[in-house]
Amino acid sequence: MKTLMLIGYGAMAQEVITRLPDEIALRYIIARPHHHQAILERFKGAVTPIDSLDNNIVPPDLVLECAGHQAVKQYAPTVLERGWTLAIISTGALADTDFEQHLVALTQRHHSQLIPLTGAVAGLDGLRAAKEANITQVTYQSRKSPSSWRNGAAERYVDLSQVTQPTVFFSGSAREAALNFPANANVAATVALCGIGMDATQVQLVVDPNTTHNSHRIDVTGDFGHFYIELNGNPLPSNPKTSMLAALSAVEICRRIAGQQAI
């Protein structure tokens, strides 16, 4: 039986919890204090709610982040300093170059492991393979409904209540997208990490009043030729900003850890 520490107790974390493989034992949840009593009652004391990484914690086999950029910045350094394995869904936090380099240095110094999850997209194995030659262009486009962009940075760029047709409201680098849209642009960072980097990867963010999906398109050109991948994912019912596939990618890493498969 492998043990899990979960960072977060929001919509994605709830989806992950309901789908955990039987071979994974959830032992700790890092959550805000007002969630602690509910966690104790839900799991009948089998799961310990915490809000800091003190020295009394039994090392888990996997630490899984499902809580956002700030949680990565707050907890990732300590997790990696302890030599643990950390999987993160909020890959946009790595758009901060100094922070990313700091985490990489910690993994090397403490023999820990940092795993950026694939999240809401597929086909990144082809992008990694293409990088073995010369890639001349990578463009990523995210297309979501107005409700999926609401209550976030997109509202500084476009009036979501007035959109009547598909509208590109941001064009720029993956780094700019990840830093400016932390709740929505983790996929842009993931594509950049697997391909030609944060500054060379071009991103378009689109609001589309005619869709109910969270759509992702990756367009790649290089010495190998050209490919594009398009995925039309369903959002989590409890959080339209998040694709269900992103939560499933977090479940999948748990299954790999449980089966001791190569990661």
Side-chain angles (χ1 to χ4, degrees), residues 196-255:
I196 56 177
M198 294 282 183
D199 298 307
T201 302
Q202 295 302 301
V203 173
Q204 290 185 335
L205 303 181
V206 181
V207 56
D208 184 350
N210 303 313
T211 188
T212 58
H213 294 107
N214 291 349
S215 299
H216 309 274
R217 176 172 171 135
I218 307 168
D219 202 303
V220 183
T221 302
D223 289 351
F224 71 95
H226 169 260
F227 72 77
Y228 76 87
I229 299 163
E230 184 170 325
L231 186 146
N232 298 303
N234 293 325
L236 286 178
S238 55
N239 183 0
K241 291 182 171 63
T242 301
S243 294
M244 181 175 289
L245 189 61
L248 297 180
S249 77
V251 175
E252 191 271 338
I253 189 64
C254 294
R255 194 173 299 282

Side-chain angles (χ1 to χ4, degrees), residues 174-207:
R175 188 182 308 280
E176 292 170 317
L179 293 175
N180 287 297
F181 301 89
N184 295 96
N186 286 313
V187 175
T190 301
V191 171
L193 290 168
C194 292
I196 56 177
M198 294 282 183
D199 298 307
T201 302
Q202 295 302 301
V203 173
Q204 290 185 335
L205 303 181
V206 181
V207 56

Side-chain angles (χ1 to χ4, degrees), residues 5-248:
M5 174 186 289
L6 187 60
I7 301 177
Y9 198 59
M12 181 178 292
Q14 299 291 342
E15 189 73 22
V16 170
I17 290 169
T18 63
R19 295 175 179 271
L20 279 177
D22 293 337
E23 301 82 5
I24 290 287
L26 180 59
R27 290 287 182 256
Y28 302 98
I29 298 177
I30 299 178
R32 294 188 176 93
H34 67 268
H35 289 305
H36 286 194
Q37 187 59 39
I39 292 170
L40 288 170
E41 293 175 0
R42 176 179 180 179
F43 298 99
K44 298 178 172 53
V47 176
T48 302
I50 57 177
D51 53 19
S52 65
L53 294 172
D54 61 39
N55 293 322
N56 297 318
I57 294 171
V58 177
D61 294 297
L62 175 67
V63 181
L64 175 61
E65 173 275 318
C66 296
H69 292 199
Q70 186 55 45
V72 176
K73 294 204 169 186
Q74 183 173 354
Y75 296 108
T78 303
V79 169
L80 297 177
E81 283 170 359
R82 296 192 178 184
W84 299 349
T85 297
L86 171 64
I88 63 171
I89 198 71
S90 303
T91 55
L94 304 181
D96 180 333
T97 302
D98 292 340
F99 180 66
E100 180 195 17
Q101 292 176 349
H102 176 55
L103 295 188
V104 170
L106 289 176
T107 64
Q108 295 170 346
R109 188 178 311 135
H110 298 282
H111 306 289
S112 48
Q113 189 169 11
L114 175 64
I115 305 169
L117 296 177
T118 55
V121 290
L124 296 179
D125 54 341
L127 180 56
R128 293 189 188 99
K131 193 168 63 171
E132 293 298 320
N134 179 49
I135 295 178
T136 55
Q137 183 177 7
V138 177
T139 301
Y140 163 70
Q141 184 187 86
S142 174
R143 180 184 296 257
K144 300 181 183 181
S145 68
S147 63
S148 294
W149 292 113
R150 206 172 299 283
N151 299 320
E155 294 183 319
R156 299 200 302 265
Y157 293 76
V158 62
D159 185 346
L160 297 174
S161 64
Q162 298 298 316
V163 174
T164 59
Q165 59 185 0
T167 302
V168 177
F169 64 87
F170 172 85
S171 295
S173 70
R175 188 182 308 280
E176 292 170 317
L179 293 175
N180 287 297
F181 301 89
N184 295 96
N186 286 313
V187 175
T190 301
V191 171
L193 290 168
C194 292
I196 56 177
M198 294 282 183
D199 298 307
T201 302
Q202 295 302 301
V203 173
Q204 290 185 335
L205 303 181
V206 181
V207 56
D208 184 350
N210 303 313
T211 188
T212 58
H213 294 107
N214 291 349
S215 299
H216 309 274
R217 176 172 171 135
I218 307 168
D219 202 303
V220 183
T221 302
D223 289 351
F224 71 95
H226 169 260
F227 72 77
Y228 76 87
I229 299 163
E230 184 170 325
L231 186 146
N232 298 303
N234 293 325
L236 286 178
S238 55
N239 183 0
K241 291 182 171 63
T242 301
S243 294
M244 181 175 289
L245 189 61
L248 297 180

